[in-house]
Each structure stands twice: as C-alpha cells, then as structure tokens.
Amino acid sequence: MKLDHHKRIAFIGAGNVAWHLSQALVGAGHEVVSVYSRTVKSAEVLCSLLPGAKPISDLNMKDTDAEIIIIAVPDAVLNNILKLLKIPEGVIIAHTSGSQPLAILDSIKNARTGVFYPLQTFSKSKQIDLSHAPILIEAKENDTKKILEALALSISTQVLEVSSTKRKQLHLSAVFACNFTNHLLGISRQLLQEASLPEELLQPLIQETITKANLQNPYTVQTGPAIRRDNNVINDHIKMLESHPRLQELYRALTLSIQQTDTEE
Amino acid sequence: MKLDHHKRIAFIGAGNVAWHLSQALVGAGHEVVSVYSRTVKSAEVLCSLLPGAKPISDLNMKDTDAEIIIIAVPDAVLNNILKLLKIPEGVIIAHTSGSQPLAILDSIKNARTGVFYPLQTFSKSKQIDLSHAPILIEAKENDTKKILEALALSISTQVLEVSSTKRKQLHLSAVFACNFTNHLLGISRQLLQEASLPEELLQPLIQETITKANLQNPYTVQTGPAIRRDNNVINDHIKMLESHPRLQELYRALTLSIQQTDTEE
C-alpha cells in the first residue's frame, strides 16, 4: 500500500472493466468514492465490494471529492455519457476504451483528460490478476500522464504510453487474438459436445498452440489440412459441418486465408 | 524404462509427428529400428537422434525385425504408401492420422491394424512434453489394442480408445481450436508488427483468453465489439484493414458468426 500515491477515484460504469479495475485499485490502497451506473442495481452490487464507495445515478458530479474519474462504459454509450457529465474543474478524467481517441474527452470543459486502458479481457464471473496486464496510458498534459502512470504502476508492472492511433491498432489486433480466438474455442467446444467427446480433451493442444505462437511467428508454424492443401480432408470437414452453414462458411474463409498467407509470405 | 513393455518400432515418415513421437518412444525405453522417408535426408537426420535406428528408402519391409510399424505421413500420401508397403505377417501397423479411418489399413494383407493418434501440434523447431497429450487408440483386435495402449501409456498419462468416426469429429474440432486459432494469432502479430508495436504486448490477454475458455463455455464469456454489436468500432476496424482485403473478409465472417451464435443460444 503506497499511501503517498493514494488517490480518490470515481467510476462511471459498473460493467466488466469497472468491476475488475475498481477492485484492483482498492487492493492497491486507493479509495473508490463512488460508482455511477445507468442501472443503479449494478452500481450497488459493485459498491458492496468497495469499502466506502457510494452508488450514484446522477451524472452531475460537480460535488464529487474524487481526484480521478474513470469512465468504463461501452464505446457506444460513451458520447451520451459525456454530454450529460458535469465534473469539478481540475479533476482528471480518463476513459478505458481501446478504440476511442483521447480527443473524445475534449468536449468536457476544464478537465485534465487521459486514457487508462487495461489490455485484458474481463468477465465478472472470473477473478483476474491484473499485475501482468499491460496498462496503456495517454494524457493531454504531462502532469496528468505522470499521475495516471503512477496509478497504473500501483496495480500492474507493465505500463506503457501509447498514442490514440497506436492504441486503436492494438485494439484491432486484440480483437483477432482474443475475441475471435475465443469464438473459435467456443465452436471447437460445441463440436466436441455434439460428438459427445470430453470437453477437456483439446486443452493440451490449445495450450501448446498458444505457447508456440508466443515463441515463434505463428505463420511459420502453421499446421493442419489448410496449409498442407489436403483437399480430401478439407472437403470432408466441410461436409461434416453440413448442419452448420455458418461454420462451413467460416471454415472456408479461414482455410482460404491460411492458404493465401502461405503464398504471400 | 519399462523393459517388459519394450518394443521394437519402425517409423514410416520423418515429418513433425514422427520426429516427436519417435524421440518420446525412445525416451520411454523403446527401440526405433528404422525410419523410412521419401526424402532419405530427412530419415537420416531423424535417425541421428535415435540410437541404433537406420534410415531406409524402400517400402518393402518384409525383413524388418520391428514389432510395430507406425505410419506418420500426410493423409494425402497415405494411400500411395500403403500400395507400396510390404510387411512381415503378424506385425502391428498403426497410422497416426486424425481424419483417416482404421479401415484404410485393410488393404494391407495379414496385418494387425490400429491407430495411434497423438492429439497435439508438432513442429520440429520446438521441443514438446508429450506426457499430457491425449493419445487416441483404436485397433481391429483386442490384443493389438492392448499393445498400442501400453505403448501409449509409456509416453502419456492420457490414453483413450476412440472410434474412427469420433476421432474424425475430434480432428475437426481441433482444426478450429488449433490450426485456425494459430492463424488468428499470426494475423494479430502481423497487425502489431505493421503498427510497430511490441509483439509480446498481447501475451497476457491471449493467455487469459485460453484460461477462461478452459473454465467456462467460451460462448458465454464472449467479449468485444461483435458481441456488443458496436457497429462504429466494427466499421472502423474494417476500414483500418483496407489494405488487407483477405483480413477484412475474415473480420466480417467472424463478426457475423459471433453475432449469429449470440442469437441462436
């Protein structure tokens, strides 16, 4: 607990990101003074885990005693939130979005704006250790940047300053590595279930795939029927997916992409 | 080293699977007597790692003193190999393919046929511990099955008897979980490189994605712009991929599939 860096923080949003970030910050010795959520119940549940935090339902936060306001809401509602938000002069306000620029906060008068983006995937149902998750920082002024950096370093060992443009590119890359990969793992599990095969059977294979991709360029260690151009197996697989046209199409698109990568490289 | 289970084994094929399987079997106390490869050089290189093993270039193996012949060749050439192969009566012959049925070995006269399929991804450039990789066994006769089971148990703790039909379904599932996932990780790394971002930045996120998918049904923990139906971000991403039409198409197909899964469930 670093008392010299102790900050009073308010959260806007009580979803997956706010859920984990607020608890990590409290765990590091900071104080979460309030949580705003459109659905008050969500704010109440999260506040029950954060000693002293109050659930609020009003975006007029002129009277908050927070030093930092962290906005952790879906990108789609961010602009609406910003239109309604009122904050005291000089407060630091940071959003947690991978794809939104720092400049989206410019509409807020007299604020010290920044970005505090934890590069991790969050679900309320699963505890997570943030200490190795990169936290990407950006700020308009140097003072603000220093404060956000110190805040990030209090919960993670990996803190980087990254511009809005780069963060957006990183987010796109993360969509492939995380969101899309998760979907493929879901499909794979669905196919195991439909075949009445044990779901844990593929775990060693999945773990090795990831470990290998970490050590080498995945393009150079690609295996499977697509890269071998084994059309008998490919056609067999597409036939086996007959009752899942969506999966057939995905199988074809991924096979084609693997084969085109091969010839491009 | 279990001397009572010590077997003399011949390999047909010197690719990724033969490479790792032969070394694991020698490590467990078995003897690899010979390695056949279409390219003699590959057989020679592998044999240099297996004490006493001889590289051979003839598929007339009537004189082999192996008790078990393991065929580890690409599916596409399996039939050609089988046409040319001659083996002594009573020898056990097993293939290592996920997608080929046991019955493909029926063309071999007087052989005791089986399948010995290690469910793992192999690259020569990376060492691997097979002890937790499932090995899927199938055999025509019970005696053969027992011998292949014992052989598998000498190198792995996870040995299962799985029918040709189920193995094929498992292989399809593995293509999604491993081959396709690896390709997405390759894309993700390519995008990081193009943005001059550190390649290791996404590792904690990737690892957490896999860990989470192991604990819960991935469909239920899906995150990202597709599942949030965040069309601003989705359109932004597609625009950012303008110079990669192949990746644009893949992005669209995966986004659609995630959204359709959502409504199906």
Side-chain angles (χ1 to χ4, degrees):
Chain A
M1 222 170 97
K2 298 176 188 168
L3 283 175
D4 52 333
H5 288 131
H6 173 106
K7 292 287 172 202
R8 288 188 309 280
I9 303 162
F11 269 85
I12 295 179
N16 292 331
V17 176
W19 184 269
H20 290 281
L21 210 48
S22 61
Q23 293 185 67
L25 288 166
V26 164
H30 304 285
E31 187 186 354
V32 172
V33 296
S34 64
V35 175
Y36 163 89
S37 171
R38 285 167 297 167
T39 45
V40 186
K41 187 71 196 160
S42 310
E44 282 172 2
V45 175
L46 179 50
C47 284
S48 73
L49 302 171
L50 307 168
K54 275 187 221 145
I56 59 174
S57 56
D58 190 352
L59 283 169
N60 182 347
M61 293 177 67
K62 280 281 185 197
D63 294 331
T64 186
D65 64 344
E67 299 156 281
I68 302 174
I69 297 176
I70 296 179
I71 312 187
V73 299
D75 289 358
V77 303
L78 184 55
N79 262 320
N80 276 340
I81 295 276
L82 294 177
K83 268 180 214 152
L84 299 168
L85 185 64
K86 298 203 190 323
I87 63 170
E89 203 165 315
V91 162
I92 291 177
I93 182 153
H95 74 65
T96 56
S97 165
S99 47
Q100 297 302 318
L102 171 60
I104 200 170
L105 300 178
D106 284 352
S107 62
I108 303 185
K109 299 274 179 292
N110 302 318
R112 299 158 67 190
T113 59
V115 176
F116 193 93
Y117 172 52
L119 186 57
Q120 190 48 282
T121 173
F122 300 102
S123 300
K124 285 185 184 174
S125 54
K126 184 177 177 301
Q127 285 288 97
I128 186 168
D129 173 17
L130 272 179
S131 62
H132 297 291
I135 297 183
L136 310 189
I137 294 300
E138 190 184 8
K140 216 166 173 180
E141 305 141 338
N142 206 37
D143 279 6
T144 311
K145 195 183 81 189
K146 291 262 179 290
I147 292 170
L148 291 178
E149 256 172 10
L151 192 70
L153 281 168
S154 72
I155 57 171
S156 168
T157 55
Q158 277 217 65
V159 178
L160 292 91
E161 190 187 354
V162 173
S163 72
S164 289
T165 310
K166 295 260 177 193
R167 189 175 61 254
K168 204 168 168 175
Q169 290 171 307
L170 184 62
H171 182 243
L172 172 59
S173 174
V175 167
F176 277 94
C178 166
N179 302 150
F180 289 166
T181 291
N182 180 71
H183 184 58
L184 293 186
L185 296 176
I187 292 171
S188 147
R189 182 185 282 230
Q190 179 188 340
L191 294 173
L192 284 182
Q193 284 170 341
E194 289 177 4
S196 307
L197 283 159
E199 287 161 34
E200 64 279 12
L201 213 49
L202 287 175
Q203 281 312 315
L205 177 63
I206 294 169
Q207 188 54 58
E208 175 66 12
T209 301
I210 304 309
T211 305
K212 206 151 78 170
N214 191 7
L215 298 173
Q216 304 178 25
N217 184 338
Y219 284 163
T220 67
V221 292
Q222 183 68 50
T223 57
I227 195 79
R228 286 198 307 269
R229 291 179 162 67
D230 194 336
N231 290 324
N232 288 334
V233 173
I234 292 168
N235 292 335
D236 248 21
H237 283 169
I238 289 172
K239 207 172 162 192
M240 287 165 74
L241 293 170
E242 229 160 23
S243 58
H244 301 300
R246 165 178 73 86
L247 299 187
Q248 280 188 322
E249 199 179 326
L250 212 49
Y251 188 102
R252 279 197 195 94
L254 284 157
T255 296
L256 199 66
S257 184
I258 289 173
Q259 295 179 343
Q260 287 178 350
T261 304
D262 184 33
T263 54
E264 276 167 19
E265 244 56 6
Chain B
M1 220 169 102
K2 296 175 187 169
L3 284 176
D4 52 334
H5 287 131
H6 174 106
K7 294 288 173 201
R8 289 188 307 281
I9 304 162
F11 269 85
I12 296 178
N16 292 332
V17 177
W19 184 268
H20 290 280
L21 210 48
S22 60
Q23 294 185 68
L25 288 166
V26 164
H30 305 284
E31 187 186 351
V32 172
V33 296
S34 64
V35 175
Y36 163 89
S37 172
R38 286 167 297 167
T39 44
V40 186
K41 188 69 198 161
S42 311
E44 282 172 2
V45 174
L46 180 50
C47 284
S48 73
L49 302 171
L50 307 168
K54 276 186 220 143
I56 59 174
S57 56
D58 189 352
L59 283 169
N60 182 346
M61 293 177 68
K62 278 282 185 199
D63 294 331
T64 186
D65 64 343
E67 299 156 281
I68 302 174
I69 298 175
I70 296 179
I71 311 187
V73 299
D75 289 359
V77 304
L78 184 54
N79 262 320
N80 277 340
I81 295 276
L82 293 177
K83 269 180 212 152
L84 299 168
L85 186 63
K86 297 203 191 322
I87 62 169
E89 204 165 314
V91 162
I92 290 177
I93 182 153
H95 75 65
T96 55
S97 165
S99 47
Q100 297 303 318
L102 171 59
I104 199 170
L105 300 178
D106 283 352
S107 61
I108 303 186
K109 298 274 181 290
N110 301 319
R112 299 158 67 190
T113 59
V115 176
F116 192 93
Y117 173 52
L119 186 58
Q120 189 49 281
T121 174
F122 300 102
S123 300
K124 285 186 184 174
S125 55
K126 184 177 176 304
Q127 287 287 96
I128 185 167
D129 173 16
L130 273 178
S131 62
H132 296 292
I135 297 184
L136 311 189
I137 295 300
E138 190 183 9
K140 216 166 174 180
E141 304 141 339
N142 207 37
D143 279 6
T144 312
K145 196 183 82 190
K146 290 262 180 289
I147 291 169
L148 291 177
E149 256 172 11
L151 192 69
L153 281 168
S154 72
I155 57 170
S156 169
T157 55
Q158 276 218 65
V159 178
L160 293 92
E161 190 188 352
V162 172
S163 71
S164 290
T165 310
K166 295 259 177 196
R167 190 176 59 256
K168 204 169 167 174
Q169 290 172 307
L170 183 61
H171 183 243
L172 172 59
S173 173
V175 166
F176 278 94
C178 167
N179 303 150
F180 290 166
T181 291
N182 180 72
H183 183 59
L184 293 186
L185 297 176
I187 292 170
S188 145
R189 184 186 281 231
Q190 178 188 341
L191 294 173
L192 283 183
Q193 285 170 339
E194 288 176 4
S196 308
L197 282 159
E199 288 162 34
E200 64 279 11
L201 213 50
L202 287 175
Q203 281 312 316
L205 178 63
I206 293 169
Q207 188 54 58
E208 175 66 11
T209 301
I210 304 309
T211 305
K212 206 153 79 169
N214 191 6
L215 297 172
Q216 304 179 24
N217 184 338
Y219 284 163
T220 66
V221 292
Q222 183 68 50
T223 57
I227 196 79
R228 285 198 308 268
R229 291 178 161 67
D230 194 334
N231 290 325
N232 289 334
V233 173
I234 292 169
N235 292 335
D236 248 20
H237 282 169
I238 289 172
K239 208 173 162 191
M240 287 164 75
L241 293 169
E242 229 159 22
S243 58
H244 301 299
R246 165 178 73 87
L247 299 187
Q248 279 188 323
E249 199 180 325
L250 212 51
Y251 189 103
R252 281 199 194 94
L254 284 158
T255 296
L256 199 66
S257 184
I258 289 172
Q259 294 178 344
Q260 286 177 350
T261 304
D262 185 35
T263 54
E264 276 168 18
E265 246 54 7

